Amino acid sequence: MDLELIRGLAVPATTKIVLLSADGLGGFPHPETGRSELETARIPHLDALARRAACGLLRHVGPGITPGSGPGHLGLFGYDPLRYQVGRGVLEALGIDFELRPGDIAARGNFCTVDAEGRITDRRAGRIPTSRCVELVDRLRKIRLPDVELHVEPVKEHRFVLVLRGQGLAGRVTETDPQATGTPPVPARALAPEAERTATLVNRFVEEARPLLADATPANMLLLRGFDQRPALPRVPEVFGLRAAAIAAYPMYRGLARLVGMDVLKTGATFAEEVQTLAAHWDAYDFFFLHYKDTDQAGEDGDFPGKVAALERLDVELPGIEARRPDVLVVTGDHASPAILKGHSWHPVPVLLVAPYAAPDSVERFTERACGVGSLGTLPAHHLMPLVMANAGRLTKFGA
Amino acid sequence: MDLELIRGLAVPATTKIVLLSADGLGGFPHPETGRSELETARIPHLDALARRAACGLLRHVGPGITPGSGPGHLGLFGYDPLRYQVGRGVLEALGIDFELRPGDIAARGNFCTVDAEGRITDRRAGRIPTSRCVELVDRLRKIRLPDVELHVEPVKEHRFVLVLRGQGLAGRVTETDPQATGTPPVPARALAPEAERTATLVNRFVEEARPLLADATPANMLLLRGFDQRPALPRVPEVFGLRAAAIAAYPMYRGLARLVGMDVLKTGATFAEEVQTLAAHWDAYDFFFLHYKDTDQAGEDGDFPGKVAALERLDVELPGIEARRPDVLVVTGDHASPAILKGHSWHPVPVLLVAPYAAPDSVERFTERACGVGSLGTLPAHHLMPLVMANAGRLTKFGA
């Protein structure tokens, strides 16, 4: 199913939609208890919602495919993540709230360690502290290249972002990271004629950086990868006819929402503040994307009790969202992050949808297992948005 | 989802995978008992595995589509059988262990009966015994055509294989079988300019065969169909990064495995010997495709108790496979062959997947009905391989 189809069927309405994405929501049973994080947590509000909801499982990319947060959220926003891909450099820039302009080329940078012969000995420079990254980025900011504006921004530990801004740049450039140690960084190559100049500029940047970093062991060299331009994605207001707002404490999720044309609302660092932001802007928008980060963080840290606690903290805030009386309320996530796997996983993610014409099914708890037998079945994440639109009375009939 | 996607995400690992295909596994309830072959058989090991597994049903081609063994197995190997098609002539050649070379054109041949006017009266020549087929094939081997090497090989009863080997041949040639009696065989026609020469050669072969068979009634003529070349399929070692081995007593399944780049291991005629072969080569491979034929044979013969017995004989061998401690163990089939239908059918086929991060669901028996409510749902067979790869820790994240 295609966004063009939805665009053709979307009709105006006054209904309100809330899409709550609990990052890395899905989990996996703990070997000692046989219960997942959701099955362990006390989440009375989510369970009560599940009883009033149509439930199911979302698969964001495909069976067995572990989604990154970018494709995971694009799926939730209604975009087939295999069709609409966003480069790593772009996601990294979004992640530090860097406002990429159309035409900008973004790359993800790593400080690395090279030996006296220039061969890489550590691709992550021993994960230097972020404060050191900031100092070294400052050195790189001295580099000047002809007819192009350079932006170098620290991210975290050994990671930074490089942005080239100017006319006639192109992202089809190979990475300088050989993805191996014992070998020197490789020059960037153009994958298309229009990227020749960009590749030349990237290689000059690397050569100018070399002497600036020479005394900075272990971070005495750099690697660049994921060159890409901000993609021109269809915009939520035009495809779905929604005045859409994003409320997210973390920059990457604000950036993703901006990529699809949502307004990004200023909010605080906690989820309680996000819920306050929702209340404050309730009248101005039709669609709210709310992002909750703590679940993923605990999952990635392998902190099972931490993830359980994060779910319980989320549950407490649900009444504040329900108090707005959205016409359609969806709770789900962008991918699973089981604590026992210490990272994202391929497991499908629970989803609940509460709306007047979404009949409650037999599901009584908001867990992986319970939602697995829900009436929505297991569906591709990008099929959720049309369902949400229909339940919001915002899609007309297809065909006569 | 595409094999290119999988190729891009596959990462090395030391895990071991066993894919056991019980040919024609799925059945249908016997009208007298209301129980299918799987529901009737005593299969304690398979049932115990189902309790530890994520279960579901596989659909190999599409709803209502009955798969042949070729598409059925390509699906299990991760190839969308609608996208990767293998001609009947090629399958027939694989089925007799004929080593097709790239460029060879293979066709399936039938001996048939024609009347004095050359009109077909029996498209299968009364299913002559195989020994007679061997004699008649010997006659056909006398035929010589310019600039092309001919191979004629007996198969079974009225069936044989014709292979044309030489430069500049093409498979886009229509069959000589009118698929009706009362009408003569039709000349082969080229469907593309590059197949003109092949069509001419085929028609000359038919004309040379006519006098050689004239006195061989009922097998006094032949029909050719399913012209095709060995397809250039993506190879399992390159797409999935797996050292893959096939263990199959029957030639067609070895041939299919060879088509996708698996090593074919020498084994015996029984499944017990196949399991010994598995043990003997355990260290040398990451992925083992094991094929069990008896279930299909009994199903096609309409032998309900025979199929039940075949399932019970399979069950006995399961401990020998489990003793290898594969990281991922899958048991399924390439299609259903219900005894009451005496042939392949379109019914989806039970599948079980045992792996550390595949959570057991509520399924307690390895049957069509029980697996129908399993956590894997009903999925296209070619979606199984990505799931297997994920569970083997052999796929990295998609997107950041």
Side-chain angles (χ1 to χ4, degrees), chain B residues 2-58:
Chain B
D2 202 83
L3 292 179
E4 279 312 302
L5 174 69
I6 301 299
R7 188 199 297 260
L9 298 177
V11 291
T14 57
T15 47
K16 302 273 186 187
I17 301 164
V18 173
L19 169 68
L20 165 55
S21 166
D23 207 294
L25 173 69
F28 197 84
H30 194 287
E32 279 167 28
T33 64
R35 291 200 307 270
S36 74
E37 297 90 324
L38 277 167
E39 287 168 340
T40 307
R42 276 209 274 191
I43 45 171
H45 298 111
L46 285 165
D47 287 342
L49 275 177
R51 285 192 287 276
R52 291 168 46 208
C55 296
L57 294 173
L58 293 186

Side-chain angles (χ1 to χ4, degrees), chain B residues 24 44 46 51 67 84-85 107 110 150 206 223 265 270 277 317 320 341:
Chain B
L46 285 165
R51 285 192 287 276
Y84 300 100
Q85 300 200 11
N110 273 13
L150 296 176
V206 173
L223 299 170
L265 303 184
T270 68
T277 305
E317 302 297 337
L341 282 166

Side-chain angles (χ1 to χ4, degrees), chain A residues 6-310:
Chain A
I6 302 300
R7 187 199 298 259
L9 300 178
V11 291
T14 57
T15 47
K16 302 274 187 187
I17 300 163
V18 173
L19 170 68
L20 166 55
S21 166
D23 207 294
L25 173 69
F28 196 84
H30 194 287
E32 278 167 28
T33 63
R35 292 200 308 268
S36 73
E37 297 90 324
L38 276 166
E39 288 169 339
T40 307
R42 276 208 274 192
I43 46 172
H45 298 111
L46 285 166
D47 287 342
L49 276 177
R51 285 193 288 275
R52 291 168 45 208
C55 296
L57 296 173
L58 294 186
R59 190 177 273 151
H60 294 73
V61 184
I65 310 298
T66 297
S69 292
H73 276 100
L74 284 183
L76 293 182
F77 299 158
Y79 297 71
D80 178 350
L82 288 172
R83 174 155 174 204
Y84 299 101
Q85 300 198 14
V86 181
R88 189 173 286 263
V90 171
L91 286 173
E92 202 80 359
L94 298 179
I96 53 166
D97 249 347
F98 185 93
E99 286 240 22
L100 277 182
R101 298 190 194 161
D104 286 359
I105 304 294
R108 170 170 167 168
N110 273 13
F111 288 108
C112 69
T113 315
V114 294
D115 64 16
E117 280 75 43
R119 290 178 305 225
I120 301 166
T121 56
D122 183 342
R123 289 175 55 245
R124 295 181 185 84
R127 294 188 184 274
I128 49 167
T130 305
S131 56
R132 180 68 173 151
C133 178
V134 171
E135 288 167 26
L136 295 176
V137 160
D138 250 353
R139 296 191 190 182
L140 298 178
R141 285 176 171 156
K142 298 196 176 71
I143 298 173
R144 297 283 177 273
L145 295 178
D147 300 324
V148 71
E149 203 178 306
L150 296 176
H151 296 264
V152 197
E153 300 291 340
V155 179
K156 195 182 164 187
E157 298 175 343
H158 55 290
R159 285 154 51 199
F160 66 90
V161 169
L162 170 67
V163 175
L164 289 79
R165 177 170 292 165
Q167 296 299 311
L169 299 172
R172 301 210 53 211
V173 167
T174 61
E175 61 188 45
T176 73
D177 185 348
Q179 302 273 359
T181 54
T183 173
V186 291
R189 278 184 304 106
L191 290 168
E194 69 271 19
E196 290 290 355
R197 180 165 160 257
T198 311
T200 305
L201 288 167
V202 166
N203 290 327
R204 284 189 58 177
F205 178 84
V206 173
E207 286 319 309
E208 303 256 341
R210 193 187 297 271
L212 296 175
L213 299 175
D215 68 346
T217 308
N220 62 350
M221 190 47 184
L222 57 81
L223 299 169
L224 296 169
R225 56 195 178 117
F227 292 95
D228 207 357
Q229 272 164 309
R230 181 188 150 133
L233 299 178
R235 293 164 49 82
V236 166
E238 282 127 45
V239 174
F240 298 99
L242 293 169
R243 298 175 301 164
I247 308 176
Y250 274 65
M252 187 200 271
Y253 311 96
R254 292 197 293 265
L256 282 164
R258 216 179 271 125
L259 271 188
V260 296
M262 294 187 200
D263 285 358
V264 171
L265 304 184
K266 201 171 144 48
T267 190
T270 69
F271 191 67
E273 288 169 289
E274 290 192 20
V275 175
Q276 286 163 19
T277 305
L278 177 75
H281 293 78
W282 187 250
D283 293 333
Y285 293 95
D286 309 310
F287 176 94
F288 295 88
F289 157 55
L290 251 80
H291 183 260
Y292 180 66
K293 179 67 180 172
D294 297 3
T295 30
D296 182 53
Q297 207 101 68
E300 296 221 29
D301 292 345
D303 179 0
F304 195 98
K307 188 162 174 196
V308 169

Side-chain angles (χ1 to χ4, degrees), chain B residues 2-4 7 74 77-80 83-85 231-240 256-262:
Chain B
D2 202 83
L3 292 179
E4 279 312 302
R7 188 199 297 260
L74 284 183
F77 299 157
Y79 297 70
D80 179 350
R83 172 151 177 209
Y84 300 100
Q85 300 200 11
L233 299 178
R235 291 165 49 82
V236 166
E238 282 126 45
V239 173
F240 299 98
L256 282 165
R258 217 179 271 123
L259 271 190
V260 296
M262 294 188 200

Side-chain angles (χ1 to χ4, degrees), chain A residues 28 63-64 66 68-71 340 347, chain B residues 1 357 383 386 390-391 397-400:
Chain A
F28 196 84
T66 297
S69 292
I340 61 156
H347 301 89
Chain B
M1 212 169 37
Y357 298 113
H383 288 183
N391 275 286
K397 192 160 62 173
F398 171 73

